[in-house]
């Protein structure tokens, strides 16, 4: 239940991003499976953020320093939609 509350400020924007890329908006809910919408989630393999993006994947279109954009739900969603 707490993941749903954490996601509320972001869901509409995330759905809009997916819609712009012609991705079914229901797939935004995969972020709950990936991380329970815990923005600070980090896997033992190094994946991070609500989408659990790996560092090598992130380097394609996200900045990792000085701020790791994988922890930004909106920026990470844009990256996931590409």
């Amino acid at each position: 239940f707490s993941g749903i509350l954490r996601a509320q400020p972001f869901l509409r924007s995330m759905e809009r991003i997916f819609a712009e890329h012609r991705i079914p908006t229901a797939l935004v809910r995969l972020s709950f499976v990936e991380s329970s919408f815990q923005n600070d989630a980090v896997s033992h393999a190094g994946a991070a953020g609500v989408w659990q993006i790996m560092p090598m994947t992130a380097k394609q279109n996200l900045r990792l320093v000085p701020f790791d954009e994988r922890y930004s739900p909106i920026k990470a969603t844009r990256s996931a939609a590409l």
Side-chain angles (χ1 to χ4, degrees):
F1 182 71
S2 58
I4 295 168
L5 294 177
R6 285 189 295 269
Q8 287 307 307
F10 305 103
L11 284 179
R12 284 199 176 133
S13 294
M14 293 168 74
E15 288 174 345
R16 190 171 20 255
I17 291 165
F18 271 33
E20 289 170 1
H21 290 275
R22 298 180 183 214
I23 299 169
T25 58
L27 292 179
V28 165
R29 302 317 186 265
L30 286 175
S31 62
F32 292 103
V33 175
E34 291 291 336
S35 65
S36 295
F37 217 90
Q38 292 183 38
N39 193 42
D40 60 350
V42 180
S43 76
H44 68 279
V50 297
W51 289 107
Q52 290 293 283
I53 299 171
M54 293 293 288
M56 289 302 289
T57 303
K59 287 180 182 179
Q60 294 174 18
N61 49 31
L62 293 172
R63 287 184 295 171
L64 297 177
V65 290
F67 174 76
D68 190 335
E69 292 182 329
R70 295 179 296 167
Y71 295 109
S72 167
I74 300 304
K75 290 180 181 180
T77 298
R78 286 190 186 111
S79 177
L82 295 177

